[in-house]
Amino acid sequence: QVQLVESGGGLVQSGGSLRLSCAGSGRTFSVVRMGWFRQAPGKERVFVAGITWSAGNTYYADSVKGRFTISGDNAKKTVYLQMNGLKPEDTAVYYCAAASTTTRPYDYWGQGTQVTVSS
């Protein structure tokens, strides 16, 4: 099993920045990619950004391109999400996820961290 713990959420004004962190523990040697998802009130959980460790490729939802940056430390199985230019519509619970394959759905999930952007 892999355990994921997020941190860094909070309340920020529109246009501000936050940096989320996610630390993995347990059988992290099996993890080949990690990502961030978010779920706004009354909506489904959606993909935000992802990173594959082997090639260092990064992926973003269109809604966050140019504003959010995912990065990480493969050795530590830690992933970050730098969020700049935050908007009220970015308000959501942000979840860290990890996968043991590059194609199948994410296997492991964190508990989530709340991000609230005030207008």
Side-chain angles (χ1 to χ4, degrees), residues 80-105:
Y80 308 97
L81 186 67
Q82 178 65 45
M83 305 185 293
N84 299 328
L86 283 162
K87 306 174 182 180
E89 52 262 44
D90 294 316
T91 295
V93 177
Y94 284 71
Y95 296 92
C96 177
S100 55
T101 71
T102 57
T103 55
R104 295 184 65 183

Side-chain angles (χ1 to χ4, degrees), residues 2-116:
V2 174
Q3 294 78 42
L4 302 172
V5 178
E6 304 101 333
S7 61
L11 174 64
V12 64
Q13 289 188 335
S14 182
S17 299
L18 281 175
R19 187 189 193 216
L20 305 182
S21 299
C22 173
S25 61
R27 299 173 64 85
T28 57
F29 60 84
S30 66
V31 173
V32 298
R33 63 189 170 113
M34 296 182 72
W36 290 95
F37 288 71
R38 68 186 183 187
Q39 186 169 19
K43 296 188 177 180
E44 295 185 349
R45 187 178 301 185
V46 297
F47 172 78
V48 174
I51 184 168
T52 56
W53 294 123
S54 60
N57 293 331
T58 57
Y59 309 89
Y60 298 93
D62 288 343
S63 59
V64 306
K65 281 181 181 177
R67 299 188 298 123
F68 291 9
T69 303
I70 188 170
S71 62
D73 184 330
N74 188 13
K76 297 181 180 180
K77 290 300 189 287
T78 299
V79 66
Y80 308 97
L81 186 67
Q82 178 65 45
M83 305 185 293
N84 299 328
L86 283 162
K87 306 174 182 180
E89 52 262 44
D90 294 316
T91 295
V93 177
Y94 284 71
Y95 296 92
C96 177
S100 55
T101 71
T102 57
T103 55
R104 295 184 65 183
Y106 286 86
D107 306 281
Y108 307 103
W109 295 86
Q111 293 299 306
T113 185
Q114 177 70 47
V115 171
T116 302

